[in-house]
Amino acid sequence: MKNPPYYTFYTYSVAGIPQEERWKPTGISDIFFESLEEARSAVIAMRDDVAADPEMGWATTVIEKMETIPLDQAAVIALLNHGPGRVVARCEIVETFGSKT
C-alpha cells in the first residue's frame, strides 16, 4: 500500500489520567466514535444516568480527539496485539464535562 490511510476518532476518559498512562492496557475497553457529536451524546447520556442516581458521583470526563498513525498491515497487527495505544499518533482533549448542575 503506497500511502496507507490514517483516521481521526473520538473517545472519552476520566479527566486527570496522565498522557503517558492514557493508552496503556488496563482491561477497561475504550469506546470510539466517528464524530465529536456522537462522543458528546454518549458522555451527556452517561452523565444524565449518573445524576439520576443519588448514590453515584460523576467524575469529570473529557472527550479526546485521537489521530492514528498510517494504518498499514504492521499497524493493524500492533493494534490487535497491543491495543489502541500502538496506533495513536496524536491525542488532544477537545471538551470537558464536569458535574451536571
Side-chain angles (χ1 to χ4, degrees), residues 13-19 60 62 93:
S13 65
V14 173
I17 297 173
Q19 183 70 21
T60 299
V62 295
I93 294 170

Side-chain angles (χ1 to χ4, degrees), residues 29-89:
S29 58
D30 290 300
I31 299 172
F32 297 93
F33 303 90
E34 290 185 44
S35 72
L36 176 58
E37 293 76 24
E38 289 175 310
R40 184 181 293 129
S41 292
V43 171
I44 290 170
M46 276 192 325
R47 186 176 64 179
D48 289 347
D49 287 347
V50 169
D53 185 341
E55 294 188 20
M56 293 183 73
W58 176 256
T60 299
T61 299
V62 295
I63 294 178
E64 300 173 74
K65 177 181 177 183
M66 182 200 92
E67 296 177 8
T68 69
I69 61 174
L71 292 177
D72 59 10
Q73 184 174 359
V76 172
I77 289 172
L79 169 67
L80 294 171
N81 289 332
H82 304 286
R86 294 293 175 108
V87 298
V88 175

